[in-house]
Amino acid sequence: MEFVAVIAVVTVVLLIVGFKPITLAMLAAALILLGIAAMALFFVYFLIRMLFARSHKAEFSRIDKSPYNRFNAAYYIIDGKEYPNVFPSEGIKENKLYKSSGSYKVLLDRRGKYVFDRFSITTCIAGFIFCIVVLPAAVFLMLRLL
């Protein structure tokens, strides 16, 4: 909510100062373009990390606070050692998504810091495809505003 208020105040101030609405629209399109490009780079980084990760059989251990961020992450046990998932765990239906019975195939990062489970692999691939589809649309919007 505060974000919307800040955007509204900045927009009004820029209009008062003398910026034209089309200039503000181009600025907004450029910010959207930069955001999508940053998101694409984020997913490309993790796709590259997945390419160099090794496949292992793992058992789901628990969901607890991640050592890398403030969110909860799923932990998997590989060869007696516990590794957190690279992305936060799903907050909804965790007990149905993460089951401790059976073993799962995960990708262990080469440095051994974290794993990619099936949900994080899906997130990386879907996010990358989304960015590849939306990035040209944002560029087209930016060029149309020029």
Side-chain angles (χ1 to χ4, degrees), residues 60 98-104:
F60 172 73
Y98 300 101
K99 297 180 181 177
S100 58
S101 62
S103 63
Y104 297 97

Side-chain angles (χ1 to χ4, degrees), residues 57-62 75-78 99-100 102-104:
K57 289 207 177 241
E59 290 184 23
F60 172 73
S61 172
R62 63 190 166 97
Y75 282 80
Y76 292 90
I77 297 175
I78 300 172
K99 297 180 181 177
S100 58
S103 63
Y104 297 97

Side-chain angles (χ1 to χ4, degrees), residues 25-43:
M26 287 187 343
L27 220 96
L31 287 175
I32 291 170
L33 182 68
L34 285 174
I36 294 170
M39 192 167 51
L41 288 175
F42 173 80
F43 286 119

Side-chain angles (χ1 to χ4, degrees), residues 125-139:
I125 293 170
F128 178 71
I129 291 171
F130 172 79
C131 290
I132 293 304
V133 170
V134 174
L135 194 58
V139 169

Side-chain angles (χ1 to χ4, degrees), residues 55-59 76-83 106 108:
S55 179
H56 290 278
K57 289 207 177 241
E59 290 184 23
Y76 292 90
I77 297 175
I78 300 172
D79 297 331
K81 190 170 179 188
E82 195 172 55
Y83 299 97
V106 296
L108 178 63

Side-chain angles (χ1 to χ4, degrees), residues 63-64 71-74 85 87-98 117 119 123:
I63 293 179
D64 202 3
F71 300 107
N72 288 338
N85 191 15
F87 291 131
S89 65
E90 304 296 327
I92 301 170
K93 297 184 181 181
E94 283 180 347
N95 57 350
K96 292 189 181 203
L97 294 174
Y98 300 101
D117 66 359
F119 303 115
T123 300

